[in-house]
Amino acid sequence: MTDADTKLRGRRILVIEDDYLLAQVLIDFLEEAGAEIVGPIGWVEEALAAIDNGEINVDAAVLDVNLHGAKSYPIADALAERSVPFVFATGYGSDALDASYLDHPRCEKPFDQSMLVALLNDILSKKCTAGMRT
C-alpha cells in the first residue's frame, strides 16, 4: 500500500452527490485513499435532516453544488456551522458558485482522484491546525 492509498485513513467523509454513478466513482476514489464513507446522500432535504438530527459525524464532506436542480448551499451552511470542512463538486467552472461560496475549495467533474484527495487533506489539516489554537 502506498502513501497515496492511506492519505485519508481514519477519516470519515460525507459524500453528497445526486448522480449514482458519480457517487460510486467518488466513493471508490476516497476508499482507495483510506477514507470511511458516509452516504451517499442525494437530496438537500435528506442531508439537512441527517445533519440537524446529529446523524452525521464526519471529518469532512464532498458536496455536489446542484442536487436534483436545487443548490446545496443550505447544506454547506449547515456543515460550516458545525465546523465541518467541505469541498464543492461541480461540473461547471468557478462562475457556477455564488460569490459568498467562492472561498471554499471546489473540484471539477470528472473527478481527478489525486486533486480531490489533496484538497480534502488540505482542508483537514487546516481544521486540525485551527483546532490546536487557543
Side-chain angles (χ1 to χ4, degrees):
M1 192 174 283
T2 67
D3 182 50
D5 295 329
T6 61
K7 286 188 177 216
L8 297 175
R9 179 175 293 191
R11 301 297 195 152
R12 291 175 48 87
I13 308 296
L14 173 62
V15 172
I16 301 177
E17 169 63 60
D18 64 346
D19 181 293
Y20 177 78
L21 294 176
L22 284 175
Q24 289 307 304
V25 168
L26 183 55
I27 289 168
D28 288 347
F29 282 173
L30 297 174
E31 285 179 338
E32 284 178 21
E36 179 183 334
I37 305 304
V38 177
I41 297 175
W43 297 91
V44 172
E45 298 80 13
E46 181 183 359
L48 287 174
I51 293 167
D52 289 343
N53 292 335
E55 297 171 16
I56 302 293
N57 179 21
V58 295
D59 298 300
V62 178
L63 178 57
D64 187 3
V65 173
N66 186 339
L67 298 171
H68 298 284
K71 295 287 187 182
S72 62
Y73 299 139
I75 302 167
D77 295 340
L79 291 170
E81 286 173 12
R82 290 156 180 81
S83 299
V84 176
F86 58 89
V87 172
F88 278 119
T90 179
Y92 306 100
S94 62
D95 58 339
L97 291 177
D98 286 355
S100 58
Y101 296 95
L102 289 175
D103 59 335
H104 293 282
R106 68 180 172 79
C107 190
E108 290 187 21
K109 299 173 188 177
F111 295 110
D112 176 301
Q113 182 179 17
S114 60
M115 177 182 282
L116 178 62
V117 170
L119 283 172
L120 286 167
N121 275 319
D122 185 50
I123 63 173
L124 286 164
S125 67
K126 287 177 183 175
K127 179 181 178 183
C128 289
T129 302
M132 290 192 286
R133 294 184 189 142
T134 57

